[in-house]
Amino acid sequence: MTPEHGDPEDGDLVEAAPECEIPAEVGEAVRTLIRWAGDDPDREGLLDTPRRVAKAWREYARGYAEDPSAHLTRTFDEVGGYDEIVLLKDIPFQSHCEHHMAPIIGKASIAYLPRDRVVGISKLARVLHGFARRLQVQERLTAQVADTIWEHLQPKGVAVIIEATHACMTARGVNTPGVMMTTSRMMGTFREDERSRREVLALMGY
Ligand SMILES: [Zn+2]
């Protein structure tokens, strides 16, 4: 599976975009880009490309249509006294960099230390995808995921680590395939307490 042609249901909890009308100017913009790239948009193989690209972008940018924090409104306070780390590890995601609109492909590990409530575990992934399906920079994506969990669950600690490759770096520019960028945000206990931080990092595999 290549990132650009990945199944939208590639285990990342993102539903396929509904069929929608493609505005004429969007199709024309793609045709212009094809011409700019040096090809002929009227060539048979490219005739349907503007529609496909427009549809794909509806999906890549689905996050704009949602409020990711909404996934955290349904919480459970019956946790049987559980007061240890909750971790969702190596969640695959894709995003697009806001500088080149090129794919960012990576994985995120998201952990929190509950105070009095927890959420369904898939919700953490939904928060990630809600922010990832926008034009992004990895640093902001990391901060938005952590801040949203911090604000809405009011846990004792939040830790988010994202590792990703940026196509704008691997496929153009400095052309360095395989290079990973890592960003992290530690809040509360994970920021203040060395032992807690080491514990969550070890659980995440760092
Ligand atoms: Zn870029």
Side-chain angles (χ1 to χ4, degrees):
M1 185 196 77
T2 60
E4 292 89 339
H5 302 97
D7 185 317
E9 293 285 1
D10 54 5
D12 66 3
L13 305 167
V14 179
E15 292 146 37
E19 285 297 330
C20 61
E21 279 297 311
I22 313 283
E25 71 262 32
V26 176
E28 203 40 57
V30 179
R31 288 170 55 83
T32 302
L33 204 51
I34 292 171
R35 253 182 247 111
W36 169 247
D39 213 322
D40 172 13
D42 293 317
R43 181 162 73 71
E44 202 190 342
L46 292 173
L47 280 179
D48 204 29
T49 298
R51 188 190 61 81
R52 291 196 197 97
V53 172
K55 207 173 154 228
W57 271 97
R58 262 279 141 266
E59 229 169 280
Y60 300 154
R62 275 199 97 179
Y64 290 115
E66 64 174 281
D67 169 11
S69 70
H71 299 299
L72 301 179
T73 49
R74 192 154 168 258
T75 59
F76 305 90
D77 48 16
E78 290 281 328
V79 291
Y82 187 84
D83 60 354
E84 298 293 329
I85 294 169
V86 177
L87 164 67
L88 198 54
K89 191 175 155 180
D90 296 339
I91 315 159
F93 74 93
Q94 56 175 310
S95 186
H96 285 81
C97 88
E98 67 183 24
H99 303 132
H100 304 89
M101 296 172 79
I104 300 172
I105 308 291
K107 57 178 187 161
S109 289
I110 304 174
Y112 67 103
L113 189 60
R115 185 181 307 277
D116 51 11
R117 54 193 135 139
V118 295
V119 281
I121 192 80
S122 71
K123 306 300 185 198
L124 301 179
R126 290 189 189 280
V127 170
L128 169 71
H129 294 309
F131 286 117
R133 299 259 160 174
R134 300 173 185 207
L135 296 175
Q136 274 291 9
V137 295
Q138 188 177 324
E139 294 89 335
R140 186 174 61 225
L141 174 63
T142 309
Q144 284 175 328
V145 171
D147 292 352
T148 301
I149 294 166
W150 180 253
E151 196 182 310
H152 291 267
L153 296 186
Q154 298 180 345
K156 291 178 191 156
V158 176
V160 176
I161 298 191
I162 294 181
E163 276 185 9
T165 58
H166 293 239
C168 61
M169 239 189 103
T170 55
R172 57 160 293 286
V174 291
N175 269 300
T176 43
V179 172
M180 281 269 182
M181 175 169 166
T182 304
T183 46
S184 71
R185 186 158 177 103
M186 301 280 164
M187 305 176 81
T189 316
F190 297 134
R191 187 183 188 90
E192 288 142 24
D193 182 59
E194 174 74 32
R195 205 184 54 82
S196 294
R197 181 164 59 244
R198 272 207 306 269
E199 187 186 354
V200 76
L201 288 172
L203 285 172
M204 286 175 169
Y206 292 97

